[in-house]
């Protein structure tokens, strides 16, 4: 089994956030790897990883980072595999990581998701991989159904709230 | 008894905030319904709800949502019943939901209230319904009196604070 | 002909923005008045206006203001007629007026629209008045159709853009 | 003993912040009063207070408020007694109250201090009153000395921190 | 020739920004279509588009919008084709559109790029499509080379700047 | 004639903003001086000025500065004469100067006015000086009347706007 | 042993943040001193310190401050020893101290590091001192190696996470 | 003549800002080089530059970048030569580049100066180099004198402004 998606984080302190991406990939039975790499502390390893990612079989990279979050952009600069960036909230409500990941210069896009939204990063990775993969397509459509079911469930809970002037 | 106001929220996690609107409507004896709908997870149900709201007798909609809060605007796009939007604070101090609800494009207004201000949304709904309803008019004027009474009460508490150079 | 909607602004420098509300009301043939009042410079006149608005026949108030924009909130404090607040951009990208109008304390809501969105304020006023007025209902539905037509027109323009790999 | 300074707050929930102003005035033996008034809930009382403040002997007003904080500006609009505004942090890190108090329109200034800085508001009131009052002048100069003493004390504490390469 | 990428914008006023995406796709010889759709003005057309996109052959959607920018999220809610969101600067320096597109709720990701960064959206679309397409892979690698050449060219220009103490 | 108010600015580039304060003081016939001083470039002169201000007869200081605006706070640290701070917009919409002036530490208040609001700083200085000066009191009350007259004038202009459904 | 680096803070409440700088200097065996000084409460001491710092042998100054953080800039104005500024988070997520330290006017730079980043301030001081000091050079290169080791350690921890579809 | 300072920018569009640093270095007769390098477009060249900078004789690096400004941090990660970061304003008032440069993770500081403050970056470089270089020390002290002279000149201009109640 060879990894198709690579999840990268700067340190294990990012794991509670980033593990949500791993769970989604696992649920969709997509082989993935998880590694710690730092744009600032291990630039050579980042370079090696980014340059070999495509030939190793990686088709989507998910990179999470906080503060002046350079990791997603620095990886994106050295590979043409699509990079999904997850801004992690460490300081300033996460606004520093949002802007450091999102506002990439012309030529080097990073597909940014919301603050701490590693789960959404995982789903986006599945959507990217689903093109031309009928099994994944069916699974992702099923997944959307479960989202809807949560709303149906929520409505049942709301039905239990009683007020004299509540009509439903 | 048919609902005149519809309270919509994206999930039951919004209930502690949104229930404040329900309490106000109940206090004013205005029939209302509460439902969970999601602009993103149940777009068809949102559409069905919005398009039939007026003919079902709904005259004001109160919609609360957090983060990239699309629900109030998406409902407003599909009905001419006035929509009151309640930005719910989930991340970024609620600034994301404020701007996602407030900054609607020309043609599709949402009547936005403050962050987590579901109680004010309920009062605004009453004010909208009070036009031409003498009973509601009298009630809302009485309600304003109670606001004033709280200040009078506050003054009594402040009178109990003692300093040598405090003169009242 | 007696005014049903009152448009209030702090000075004539706000007129280029606020006139958009007037145009909408005129298009919908809703009688309206326009006045200049200032929460800070003419507080007595604001009070007199707000307290007599309902009995004079006003059913919606549209108030625009910039900077520390107190006018909509101060009017809302003295009437139960719904007040639509229009934050006008003068400084700080308009963020000061947004927050000064939106973040009203419990009990005194202002129905806030986007920065400089006086046109949307006018449409919201029409939507509020349309409850129970079949003629207005039909008109506002027709108006929504024209919004759609602009998109259809936009699509025609886009069809004229030619690229070798553009397929439509 | 007649009050020279008036401390105003919107509700008793602001008391823990605003009491710092009272303590300073008391320490300087300046007669003061404390009242609860709301720009939105008791506009008539605010007007009455503001219009009679000067003739009653009030020479400085300290007004604290949170969110869309209109109280200081609304008072300043109805008196020429200088108004010191204290933005109270309730939501959005207090940025809404800062801007609602600070960004007053031409003609109606409010002397704004920092978020929750009621103690500084009290000191500013003393400084304003000290003009031409030799006793207050001496006291305020003595007070500045105590600020300096805190730093001297802090230095003693820092002297106790020991590191091999720390030289003092 | 059937479109693989669909570029969507809310109105033709967004065209000067969004055309950059079209140019990139054309340069890479990827068939694409351009349409105007509005989350608020043509919700039915948005739904029809989103639900049929995959079966029509669309594999990436690029959606640009300004202000309370709901279009990318509303499309993403109704298809599993990856949606790239382009925040367009209309007001508030574009911060409203950034947050309205980026901060999507769990389950419905939008791959957000920087403010007005339609060119980067086009490149990201190419990167997504390049997985398993050797021709595109070679092209995108060549494209990265041209980015590098611009820097080399920039260095030549900088070499022409003369100062006595400049050494290169 | 000895100056009672001192206007300080960091450089002559601030003059177009700060001259509004001078005009107000001149209109109220209050003797004033204008000087350029910099917290950073002439710290010794700032110290000399601040320490001698009271004994020279200065009763209010108006200090304007942009960016990391330290001038008002540094002066306030070295005198007990009240300091009015004017944040001047140079960068970041003026938010840097607002926060650098407003958020002073405990013990050293600066009476901050809005961005570029030197005119309001002048009026605040007059209000501070008016305590116990009957002539100034009468003048400042007259000045408030002129503010009101502008609104009356504005109303006349608004009366000239004609729409079929405008009622006034 | 004479101090080469001087760590300055406004009060002992800043010590938990600023001590991180002391630890780094101690680890690198660089003699340093720690003092409390306040731009506002002890301006004379700040002046004396700044003006004598170079002749006393100080080659780098690290100054931390919160809110309207003037200390680093005021020191920088009175010495040509490089000043590293540490914005300390007290209010507004630390944005007030960032801007008060960073946005210095032309001629008086402060080398600003991130919010509460006293440890980075210490490392920057070491880097500045390392120029021409072979021992420090070797030590700082060794220090970079330990940063890398943390990542290697993090990877080992990540290797222990087990999912069926995790490949490493 | 070998360069001691290296000025780096991402593209020649940054030259009008960054040239201010060159002018300062030239005025102080400090040999310097200017190059274009991009963290994203030429990561290998950035690495080569950073790793060889110290041994080539570079003692200070000045790096300017806009938007998601990774260049200063990426260089700082690969050398122990101090890096001065200049946030360049391209979008969002420059707040994206400020945060991307300032908020570096523990271990990798960047000495950040204000938005577009390349001149201050040059001066900071001189201050860093002046340690132990008596000639530079004398020059930088002379430079501070010229800053003071500008204020003296400004005062002469202000003396020319005439008002009846201006006393100087």
């Amino acid at each position: 089994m060879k990894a198709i998606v690579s999840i990268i984080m700067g340190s294990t302190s990012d794991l509670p956030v980033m593990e949500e991406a791993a769970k989604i990939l696992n649920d969709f039975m997509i082989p993935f790897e998880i590694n710690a790499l730092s744009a600032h502390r291990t630039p050579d390893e980042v370079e090696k990883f980014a340059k070999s990612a495509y030939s190793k079989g990686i088709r989507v990279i998910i990179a999470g980072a906080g503060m002046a979050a350079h990791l997603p952009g620095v990886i994106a600069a050295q590979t043409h595999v699509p990079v999904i960036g997850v801004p992690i909230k460490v300081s300033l409500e996460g606004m520093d990581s949002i802007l450091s990941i999102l506002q990439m210069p012309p030529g080097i896009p990073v597909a940014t998701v919301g603050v701490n939204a590693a789960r959404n990063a995982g789903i986006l990775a599945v959507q990217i991989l689903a093109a031309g993969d009928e099994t994944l397509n069916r699974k992702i459509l099923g997944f959307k159904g479960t989202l809807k079911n949560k709303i149906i469930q929520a409505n049942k809970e709301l039905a239990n709230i009683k007020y004299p002037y509540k009509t439903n």
Side-chain angles (χ1 to χ4, degrees), chain A residues 129-162:
Chain A
L129 295 171
D133 176 331
E134 269 319 301
T135 318
L136 264 187
N137 263 321
R138 265 194 308 277
K139 275 190 202 162
I140 193 103
L141 286 170
F143 173 81
K144 297 241 164 185
T146 64
L147 292 178
K148 195 172 168 172
N149 288 340
K150 279 188 198 160
I151 301 290
I152 292 167
Q153 188 54 42
N155 258 321
K156 284 187 193 150
E157 289 178 46
L158 294 178
N160 293 329
I161 298 168
K162 299 293 178 209

Side-chain angles (χ1 to χ4, degrees), chain A residues 37 42-53 74-75 78:
Chain A
L37 285 177
T42 56
D44 297 347
E45 277 68 20
V46 170
E47 185 193 343
K48 210 180 311 170
F49 163 75
K51 290 194 170 160
S52 65
V74 165
I75 293 174
Q78 305 188 65

